[in-house]
Amino acid sequence: MMSSEDREKSPNAQQRRIVVLFDASPPSLQALSAARDLAARLNAELHAIYVEETDLLRSSAFDFAREISILSGSSRPLQSDDGAGNLRRHLRRLRAVLDEVADAGQVRYRLLVRRGEVVREVLDIAGPDDVLVLGRVGWGARLGRSIGSTSLMLARQAPGSVLIWSEPVATRASRVVMLAEAPETVPACLALACDRARVRGSDLSILLCPLPDAHAASERERLIERHLASFGIRAHMQELPVANTANVLQALGRERAVELVVSRRGGLLDSPVAERLLERIRLPVSVAA
Amino acid sequence: MVNPKSLGADEVYRQCPVEDLDFDTTESLEDLTTPCGQERVVEALQFGTGIRNAGFNLFLLGSRGADRHQLIKRFLGDRAVGESTPPDWCYLYNFETDDSPRAISLEAGHGRKFRADMDQFIEELRTSVPAVFESEEYQSRMQELQEEVEQRQQKGIGAIEKEANENGIALISTPTGFTLAPLRDGEVMDPEEYEKLPDKKRRQIEEKVAELQKKLQQAIQGIPRMRKELRKRVRSLNEEMILFTLKGPISDIKERWSHVPDVIAHIDAVRDDVVENADAFRGERGGGPPEELLDRYRVNLLVDNAAVSGAPVIYEDLPNHHHLVGRIEHQVRNGALSTDFSLIRPGALHRANGGYLILDARRVLTHPMAWESLKRVLFSGEIRIESLERLYGLVSTTSLQPERIPLSVKVILLGERTLYYLLAHYDPDFLELFKVEADLEDELERSDDNYPLYARMLATVARRAELQPLDRGAVARMIEHASRLAGDQQKLTANDRILRDVLMEAGYWAGEDKSPVIEAGHVQRAIKERRERAGRMRRRSLEQIRRGTVLLATEGERLAQVNGLSVIQLGGFSFGRPMRITATARPGRGQVVDIEREADLGGPIHSKSVLILSRFIGSRYAGEGELSLSASIAFEQSYGGIEGDSASLAETCALLSAIAKVPLKQSLAVTGSINQHGEVQAIGGVNEKVEGFFDVCREAGSLAGHGVLVPASNVDNLMLEREVRDAVEAGTFNIYPVTTVDEAIAALTGTIPGEPDEQGVFAPDSFNRRVADRLSTFADRAARRRHGGKRKETGNRDDPDNDDEL
């Protein structure tokens, strides 16, 4: 539950929504719990979005379409004659799970059901003040993906901040690590990083990506120090010689990172480096708008 | 025949001359190392404890007053010191069968060290193993393993997806699996558009979909095998990491315990178990291993002989089944009873293993199953812990069957003789298991040679009880009292517990007098006070006689009435109580009716004595003629049972008085049993009986010519109180030893009993002649009745004793 102190610090709490993409896959259930906790802390409303994918609907209309069970490998026909009934049953299950999870956190919540292409539908709903919470990957995990294309696209395109949730492994990890890029990305990214560090009760580390000129670097450092002072938080800073996947992974290991915070406005998230990085790390990733 | 001569004061009491004791106080005397007069028992104990063969356990038997515990504890204490200390015993978790904990033995004192080592090892496990699992290396290698297997899993599906895409088909995830559908422009084709495709194209697509579905099925069905392989590889990784971490601590312990194979085996089993339970050690979110898991590696030190020097000597004062063979405790977990090896508790047999176990036979026998369990363990030579509930099938909760522990113990049972003989008679196992009988002497010879020994015994008792030393007078008085307790001038009691009690009381009175030594007066006061404290019934009995509630004459003469003597035993105190015995005689069928027996108040020995006296009278006075006598004998005002034959002399005298119509002196009392020839035999409790009559006579008035007739064979048993002795010395109270009925008659009637001549005819005017003549008269009357058929004109026909109708 959200404390009174937290409420005071969140003037826009009434408008803010926590939007979570939810398809009942294990990663999406974990993301739902994380979103619930976040909503409770920010006293925000939880919006769970379920998108009935067009591809799946169409595939069930083929006479030859069969479903191969992931558990047993057995094959059975996809029932298209009662598509509406299937959807109703599936939604009942989703509703039950959502009721249980949300009630445990005593948060206000809503289930939104859309039909169409997932990314398009989510972007249609999420606004700039909303926090979008996603699982790293949905059912596509079975196909060997550790970061789903949907999650990556939403991280890159969402209007507000995004949290790509991963269940933490049991380690003595203790630091939230922020990846600092250009100076203009710093305020929003640092604000989110400080918030995440406070929530987790962790220390903050900042990885400084190389910048093309010294002026920008000093400006970034100035901004960082100013904002840290205003937040009353101290951080350990470390410069990355090159902002590539290997360097970032090593730095995260050294810092015993518990969460990574990056900015959407920096170039990194759009680069192939980010895709490789997100495939390799098993940490929650917060994306600042 | 002359009247029996009364005894002198020196004959009714044997004094201990103070001058025979050559010390001032017992302080100068050395302690007695072996029990006084118990050499035979000590030899039996030495033999019984020395022989190691099975079944040679001991039974130390003796009377109640003997301090068997002190004796055996002292003996075993001295012996056990020189023997080797037995090993410690531990119970450990059995990793193969968890309901059968393993028992291992370690050198005495090493059990504690092993337990401490394992506790330390567990602390190491608690911190080191979770740290391993949290390490970067482990996490990274574990991730690699998982990813590798996941990749292999997904590789197959990924290849199918690729093949599908290359053929314009989409592999779509559903909540419960996969499905395949034709693609167009990166999206699943609209089913209506699909229908517009040429048949050939549709057939190609559907065949490809069917083929891909088959491949997908095969790929998915291969996943469990890969998961199994993953588990195997994870276990190897865990083993590698744990072994590396625990290498140091395990090596240390193994090196320390290399001489004990059982410990080495246990350490190896622990190591394997840690590897097996790596997941549990990782714990929930860094919470560490659960305590239940760590507790399995602990040591239950069942028997700790670290503080024992020599062989253990254990006395179990509550020898029930569990206290003997140990027990398995249970605790409540989540509302159910559960147990584990750490809840095994030792019994006395465990603690005494390798040494000696002292038990009270009576207590063992009174606890359910204790005796049977003790026998079972001694027969098998192993201790098996079995709960009574399980034995009886009363509860069905889970329990353990701990490994049996080999037993080498010498059990010493302490008990009374009755118990020993009952067990020997009724329990066929008893003599198999308790082959050595150590029978304590109740009495010692009283001789001049034994005085110094007895004095040392008293000195030892006083010293152990932390009492003042005794002076010579006190020792002499104690010796005399010991003789009185033995009821024999030639014996001393060996019941040291009673002597110690008297000494402690004497010590108290000496303390009250602020005397540094216990003197004869203190001993005398202790004896007197003990007697007074227990004397309520005695005083009440005297009062009843004095007030005439109980009729008893101590003056004059009475026909067919004599003062008999009985002893009343109440707890540890006994006193003599005179009783009036009366008799009647009339013609009859030659039988003596024992009224006590007829009223079911007489015991079998008493009945036997009445039969004996009737046969004595018949054979002596009727000779070859017919005995026509109907007589009866009764203890007047006796409302309890009568047992024993010590009144048969008195009963004979009363009956003869009734037949001869000669009165008996009431100033005398009589005790003694007789045989069929009229000889007087020894009886018990002679001192109490004499003193009982003395008290009554004194209460009744001044003493003059009063006395007691006692069997001559009891003279050695006389140890009378000072007041009686003084009266004897003054001649106001006499003790007459008698050997025959005639002597008793002479004393009681003042007449000459008379000897029979060669024809068996007694001298005229003698007492016996009067008896014979009266019996002859009875016989003549009976004969006349038989021959004349004349009925008796008088007499009550309803009287069952009316035997005149012959």
Side-chain angles (χ1 to χ4, degrees), chain B residues 27-75:
Chain B
E27 201 165 12
S28 60
L29 301 181
E30 287 181 8
D31 274 352
L32 210 56
T33 48
T34 53
C36 186
Q38 304 288 3
E39 291 76 14
R40 196 175 43 79
V41 170
V42 171
E43 280 174 21
L45 291 178
Q46 280 168 343
F47 166 74
T49 50
I51 189 166
R52 302 315 298 180
N53 300 57
F56 280 83
N57 295 294
L58 292 105
F59 196 114
L60 181 59
L61 55 155
S63 58
R64 286 186 179 181
D67 199 344
R68 297 179 289 252
H69 288 91
Q70 278 291 333
L71 185 140
I72 195 70
K73 280 180 185 169
R74 241 180 355 252
F75 175 83

Side-chain angles (χ1 to χ4, degrees), chain B residues 161-176:
Chain B
E161 184 186 25
K162 190 180 171 193
E163 186 181 345
N165 290 341
E166 284 169 0
N167 287 279
I169 294 168
L171 178 65
I172 302 164
S173 291
T174 68
T176 52

Side-chain angles (χ1 to χ4, degrees), chain B residues 419-446:
Chain B
L419 272 182
Y420 180 86
Y421 295 119
L422 283 173
L423 283 169
H425 187 75
Y426 288 108
D427 188 340
D429 300 333
F430 175 67
L431 291 178
E432 280 292 306
L433 292 172
F434 292 89
K435 295 181 193 289
V436 185
E437 171 189 356
D439 194 354
L440 281 166
E441 293 288 355
D442 291 340
E443 293 157 356
L444 321 173
E445 285 302 319
R446 180 178 173 179

Side-chain angles (χ1 to χ4, degrees), chain B residues 114-247:
Chain B
F114 181 44
R115 183 175 62 185
D117 279 357
M118 287 309 290
D119 286 347
Q120 196 181 343
F121 179 68
I122 286 165
E123 287 312 307
E124 192 78 33
L125 283 176
R126 194 195 301 279
T127 53
S128 303
V129 176
V132 167
F133 292 126
E134 286 180 21
S135 68
E136 292 292 336
E137 184 186 351
Y138 179 81
Q139 295 281 351
S140 147
R141 287 182 62 182
M142 180 62 106
Q143 197 171 331
E144 277 172 23
L145 275 179
Q146 286 170 342
E147 281 176 0
E148 185 190 329
V149 174
E150 274 175 26
Q151 279 169 11
R152 279 173 57 195
Q153 277 178 26
Q154 291 152 2
K155 194 175 169 187
I157 297 174
I160 293 165
E161 184 186 25
K162 190 180 171 193
E163 186 181 345
N165 290 341
E166 284 169 0
N167 287 279
I169 294 168
L171 178 65
I172 302 164
S173 291
T174 68
T176 52
F178 299 102
T179 189
L180 294 153
L183 275 174
R184 171 172 289 176
D185 301 330
E187 289 183 349
V188 171
M189 189 183 286
D190 190 303
E192 289 178 7
E193 287 180 27
Y194 179 76
E195 289 300 326
K196 292 174 189 168
L197 292 175
D199 289 348
K200 187 180 174 188
K201 179 69 177 171
R202 289 211 310 269
R203 196 163 49 249
Q204 280 176 347
I205 290 173
E206 286 170 26
E207 281 172 4
K208 191 65 191 175
V209 166
E211 181 194 335
L212 289 169
Q213 279 174 346
K214 206 168 182 179
K215 285 182 178 176
L216 200 55
Q217 279 182 291
Q218 286 170 349
I220 290 172
Q221 283 163 356
I223 289 174
R225 194 177 59 249
M226 283 188 234
R227 285 187 184 147
K228 189 177 174 188
E229 188 190 337
L230 173 65
R231 284 197 296 273
K232 199 173 164 188
R233 292 178 67 181
V234 167
R235 193 187 184 286
S236 297
L237 174 64
N238 289 340
E239 186 172 5
E240 179 193 330
M241 300 298 279
I242 288 169
L243 291 185
F244 176 75
T245 310
L246 299 181
K247 191 176 175 186

Side-chain angles (χ1 to χ4, degrees), chain B residues 519-697:
Chain B
E519 297 168 1
H522 300 130
V523 175
Q524 181 57 38
R525 182 164 185 191
I527 295 166
K528 187 182 167 204
E529 294 282 342
R530 285 169 72 85
R531 182 179 161 86
E532 285 301 313
R533 283 201 300 272
R536 188 185 70 83
M537 286 301 292
R538 175 176 153 272
R539 289 192 295 275
R540 178 104 176 106
S541 170
L542 284 173
E543 183 190 343
Q544 284 178 333
I545 293 171
R546 190 184 71 240
R547 296 174 63 187
T549 311
V550 173
L551 295 175
L552 199 82
T554 54
E555 300 292 342
E557 294 184 338
R558 298 281 177 86
L559 195 64
Q561 175 179 311
V562 71
N563 292 322
L565 295 168
S566 64
V567 173
I568 293 177
Q569 178 86 36
L570 294 169
F573 177 68
S574 56
F575 63 95
R577 182 170 180 266
M579 297 182 79
R580 174 176 288 179
I581 299 172
T582 58
T584 63
R586 58 197 299 187
R589 287 177 176 166
Q591 65 180 35
V592 175
V593 174
D594 176 8
I595 290 178
E596 305 299 329
R597 189 189 64 185
E598 295 297 316
D600 283 338
L601 289 171
I605 298 172
H606 181 257
S607 301
K608 179 187 171 190
S609 71
V610 172
L611 290 173
I612 287 172
L613 76 88
S614 67
R615 300 322 300 166
F616 160 69
I617 290 172
S619 66
R620 187 168 201 210
Y621 298 106
E624 293 178 0
E626 181 183 347
L627 175 64
S628 172
L629 174 68
S630 173
S632 64
I633 299 168
F635 281 71
E636 302 294 350
Q637 292 182 289
S638 160
Y639 307 107
I642 296 285
E643 179 56 316
D645 63 354
S646 69
S648 59
L649 175 60
E651 289 165 331
T652 307
C653 294
L655 186 54
L656 292 176
S657 166
I659 297 168
K661 293 191 173 177
V662 174
L664 302 174
K665 291 178 185 171
Q666 300 300 301
S667 57
L668 297 177
V670 182
T671 184
S673 73
I674 63 160
N675 60 22
Q676 294 192 95
H677 301 300
E679 293 165 330
V680 177
Q681 303 165 149
I683 44 86
V686 65
N687 290 303
E688 288 79 3
K689 287 173 176 171
V690 171
E691 287 162 3
F693 190 64
F694 175 82
D695 289 341
V696 169
C697 294

